[in-house]
Amino acid sequence: MLEVKVILISHISISDVITLLTPTCNFRCSYCFFRPMGCRSYTPSKVADVIIDVMAESDTDTVLIAGGEPTLQSDLPELTEILHRNDLRVILSTNGTRRDVIERCALDEVHVDLKALDDEKHRRLTGSSNREVLRCIEALASSDDFLLEVATVFIPGIVDVDEIEDIASFLSPLNVSYRITGYMEYGNELGAPRPGPELIMEAAEVSRKYLDHVTTSLDFRRHKPRKKIITDLR
């Protein structure tokens, strides 16, 4: 019997980029704020058709695929190939645990979320080791097929200035871009406060001792406020 390829989709949001969100994840991050919405399965071609139609009606040709963890969708590579053939710029946001899937995708940028360099802290935050994430970052950094950005959430008392400096030092030989985002208290499960601008700027300055390209959540918002959400692709 011919296997029908499908991708599980939460929803598509349209702002300054077209964001496609998938609902499942293999981490259990204690501060995750993502709440899946539609959660239906579609073929990669159907998802691509909707995105292409949205592109024709919007001011952007950029698609951000995020989640959840989108690399858990085994047919993600096929979707990215279709989008690329239709001249869309494709960005993947991932936790870096499925390098085999990432390397089969057609991508312009990959954003890997490195929660912590210290494995004990990483386990506390996600329930999992960071071993595969670190290997993934090292491997992807050598690719000429796409740009690589590593991102970390600054969490006072857990992922603080010292931990950020350790991450920047780890990334230094790889010559990748690094982004520091301030922690937001979504239910405050960690009991941590939101870092003030001074702390975020301090972390950025420390990181710039090791890296040429460092940005923070203070510099710009990656997305403008959402204009439209699509939960049913029919």
Side-chain angles (χ1 to χ4, degrees), residues 53-66:
D53 288 344
V54 168
M55 179 187 69
E57 299 173 1
S58 65
D59 296 326
T60 182
D61 62 354
T62 299
V63 179
L64 171 64
I65 305 175

Side-chain angles (χ1 to χ4, degrees), residues 89-226:
R89 179 174 179 80
V90 183
I91 303 172
L92 175 68
S93 178
T94 175
N95 62 23
T97 55
R98 300 288 303 278
R99 177 162 56 97
D100 59 322
V101 177
I102 297 171
E103 291 178 339
R104 290 189 287 111
C105 290
L107 302 166
D108 294 283
E109 291 185 35
V110 178
H111 299 167
V112 178
D113 191 3
L114 176 55
K115 314 291 185 180
L117 186 69
D118 180 270
D119 194 57
E120 183 177 342
K121 291 181 178 180
H122 196 276
R123 289 177 183 274
R124 174 185 174 186
L125 293 171
T126 70
S128 300
S129 171
N130 65 5
R131 183 179 304 171
E132 291 303 318
V133 183
L134 299 180
R135 289 175 177 170
C136 178
I137 291 170
E138 290 175 323
L140 297 184
S142 62
S143 175
D144 295 324
D145 296 330
F146 47 74
L147 300 175
L148 176 63
E149 177 184 274
V150 176
T152 300
V153 177
F154 185 111
I155 308 173
I158 304 174
V159 182
D160 48 23
V161 173
D162 289 344
E163 181 71 10
I164 294 289
E165 180 169 11
D166 288 343
I167 293 172
S169 178
F170 163 74
L171 296 175
S172 180
L174 307 178
N175 192 31
V176 300
S177 296
Y178 186 43
R179 180 174 173 82
I180 304 166
T181 302
Y183 169 69
M184 302 288 285
E185 311 99 312
Y186 297 101
N188 207 21
E189 293 87 349
L190 294 174
R194 181 184 303 187
E198 297 82 4
L199 273 177
I200 295 176
M201 288 189 291
E202 180 183 352
E205 286 305 309
V206 166
S207 299
R208 291 185 180 114
K209 296 190 302 183
Y210 303 90
L211 298 165
D212 294 330
H213 305 288
V214 179
T215 60
T216 76
S217 50
L218 301 175
D219 299 324
F220 57 91
R221 292 186 177 182
R222 193 181 296 283
H223 309 301
K224 299 175 183 176
R226 291 177 297 185

